[in-house]
Amino acid sequence: MHTSTSAIPLAGDVRSEAPITALEIGMFLLLLASYALNAMDRQIFPLIAADVRKEFGFGLADTGLLSTIFTLGMAVAGVPTGYLLARLSRKTVLQIGIAIFSLGTLLTAYSHGFADMIIYRATTGIGEAMQLTVVIAIAASYFARFRSTAVGAINFSFGIGAIVGPLLGGHLIGIERDWRLPLVVFGVAGFGAMALIAVAVSKRMTENASAADARSDLSGAATMWNRNTILLTAMSVIGGLCIYGYLGMYPTFLREHLHYTPSDTGRVMSTFGFGVFASIFGGWLGDRFHPKLVLSLSFAGTGLLGFLLFSGPTSMVVQSALSFAWGFVVSGVLYVNLAGYHIKSVRASLTNRATGVFVTTLYGAGAFAGFIIGGIAARFGWSVAGLVQITLLAAVGMVLSALLRTDRMSLPVRKP
């Protein structure tokens, strides 16, 4: 298997530990803004899924598959993206990714049926995997001592998109009474972001690595085949099934089972985005506290919330509060630290590949999460679906987190 060396800092590439300039911060914020737009894209389809299902006559499980199939595209593209990063600049791969997911979003609006729609939805995931892998790699290089916190900043930008996307999408649907309009608007906006990054973001910023990598890279594994990466891969699969069981079919649960309006569903889903704002704090927890503690408590919270969301009180206030808590615990803490610990499990030279493995496994499992939970719900009801796919799987995640060997992770040396 080819070993990527793109993350190995060369003499002329290493950024000194001088304070990061305002210009560099501005460029990084622009990258985060492009990912927020991606999050808006991603959140739109679950919101319009009931309308798509009604127009085309899709079954519940098929609708769930359409809602989460983009993660299959992410899984397919995750590892190859790490391979491309060894041969092309990060900025080039980033631009290609944005173009792909924007095109896929636009084409979804002009689908003729299930066959072409599922292809377009999967295509958006390919583009997103390329973008996400690059942005995580850039963040991990610039903030080597606080990698989980840096990943948290990326997920924070996702939270912004998760709030704006459903609200704006619900508004656009209300204007034209057409589920296609939000897809067209966000698809065109993606090409605008691509053009802005091409002009405003320097390769000097995207390609440079941090000198701190060498000092923080103390005990990570020299190969991807190691105990911690294997355990984290299994936990990422569980995380994907839990996260995308919620994201893919929870809006459908609200609209079809609880009979919420599209606008009310958008409001509830936007509270999830507010919870995701905890991502920077969640990343700080991962950098500050023991990995076993952070992951085990995160999985415990995931299991409890999964049960309450699909079996608890049905009022809009309670569902909004639970969605906020889900965003806080599952996306803000669990997701962020699964990504961060994947990177910390290996040497800095394997950062790109570790990110690719995380993206592939979490989103690969997520690709079928909607189909599975939709199928269980159709046969046994939503309560059983939440219990099986989220609560029980989260319990397995708690067990796996206890088996980690944190003494073999690449962790920064703490000052006495």
Side-chain angles (χ1 to χ4, degrees):
M1 181 180 292
H2 175 80
T3 301
S4 169
T5 58
S6 63
I8 302 176
L10 303 177
D13 296 330
V14 179
R15 179 177 61 79
S16 69
E17 286 199 90
I20 299 174
T21 66
L23 179 61
E24 290 173 322
I25 292 175
M27 288 188 288
F28 187 62
L29 288 176
L30 180 56
L31 296 180
L32 295 182
S34 73
Y35 188 58
L37 180 61
N38 191 318
M40 295 179 205
D41 249 351
R42 186 198 295 183
Q43 294 296 96
I44 284 300
F45 195 87
L47 181 65
I48 65 175
D51 299 299
V52 173
R53 169 170 148 82
K54 181 179 179 180
E55 179 172 327
F56 290 95
F58 298 150
L60 190 60
D62 287 342
T63 304
L65 183 60
L66 285 169
S67 293
T68 58
I69 193 62
F70 76 93
T71 60
L72 179 61
M74 295 190 74
V76 169
V79 171
T81 299
Y83 179 86
L84 286 176
L85 284 168
R87 288 156 177 79
L88 301 174
S89 71
R90 287 171 174 169
K91 183 175 179 180
T92 298
V93 177
L94 175 71
Q95 293 289 80
I96 294 172
I98 295 175
I100 291 174
F101 86 70
S102 298
L103 180 61
T105 299
L106 276 174
L107 291 175
T108 300
Y110 300 99
S111 300
H112 296 288
F114 185 83
D116 61 335
M117 187 178 290
I118 201 168
I119 293 173
Y120 301 146
R121 292 286 299 149
T123 299
T124 64
I126 294 174
E128 182 172 351
M130 297 175 74
Q131 182 190 25
L132 179 60
T133 302
V134 172
V135 176
I136 290 178
I138 292 172
S141 295
Y142 257 72
F143 309 103
R145 294 192 61 202
F146 305 99
R147 286 167 172 160
S148 291
T149 306
V151 174
I154 297 170
N155 214 40
F156 182 92
S157 68
F158 173 85
I160 295 175
I163 292 171
V164 176
L167 292 176
L168 181 56
H171 179 68
L172 291 172
I173 294 172
I175 292 174
E176 296 289 338
R177 302 294 179 184
D178 186 358
W179 57 266
R180 294 173 174 82
L181 181 59
L183 297 173
V184 173
V185 170
F186 289 125
V188 172
F191 284 106
M194 177 184 171
L196 188 58
I197 290 173
V199 173
V201 177
S202 168
K203 281 189 177 182
R204 181 176 177 82
M205 184 265 182
T206 60
E207 314 312 314
N208 284 358
S210 171
D213 272 337
R215 287 194 296 279
S216 65
D217 192 24
L218 300 176
S219 54
T223 173
M224 295 299 297
W225 187 254
N226 66 84
R227 177 191 179 106
N228 287 332
T229 295
I230 292 170
L231 288 170
L232 286 164
T233 296
M235 283 185 267
S236 295
V237 170
I238 292 172
L241 290 172
C242 293
I243 292 170
Y244 286 96
Y246 167 88
L247 287 177
M249 290 302 286
Y250 179 65
T252 301
F253 164 76
L254 292 178
R255 292 193 60 181
E256 297 192 0
H257 187 71
L258 301 187
H259 307 294
Y260 283 23
T261 66
S263 183
D264 286 343
T265 300
R267 292 190 185 96
V268 172
M269 292 304 296
S270 71
T271 64
F272 158 77
F274 281 106
V276 178
F277 280 158
S279 296
I280 295 177
F281 174 70
W284 176 82
L285 291 176
D287 287 324
R288 178 66 179 81
F289 295 101
H290 200 283
K292 292 183 181 181
L293 177 65
V294 173
L295 289 177
S296 61
L297 290 180
S298 298
F299 274 118
T302 300
L304 176 61
L305 289 170
F307 173 78
L308 293 175
L309 280 165
F310 293 101
S311 302
T314 61
S315 73
M316 185 173 172
V317 172
V318 174
Q319 289 294 320
S320 295
L322 291 173
S323 289
F324 172 82
W326 180 274
F328 186 104
V329 173
V330 183
S331 190
V333 182
L334 179 62
Y335 173 92
V336 166
N337 286 293
L338 282 174
Y341 293 144
H342 264 285
I343 296 171
K344 292 176 182 180
S345 292
V346 297
R347 301 288 174 88
S349 58
L350 297 174
T351 294
N352 288 341
R353 293 183 64 193
T355 302
V357 168
F358 165 72
V359 170
T360 294
T361 53
L362 187 138
Y363 291 102
F368 302 99
F371 179 79
I372 295 172
I373 197 169
I376 297 174
R379 185 167 184 179
F380 300 105
W382 285 104
S383 295
V384 174
L387 179 65
V388 171
Q389 185 156 328
I390 298 178
T391 304
L392 294 183
L393 284 180
V396 176
M398 291 179 64
V399 174
L400 295 177
S401 65
L403 302 177
L404 289 170
R405 288 292 302 271
T406 55
D407 58 311
R408 297 179 182 177
M409 286 185 171
S410 176
L411 302 173
V413 176
R414 301 192 183 282
K415 295 180 180 180

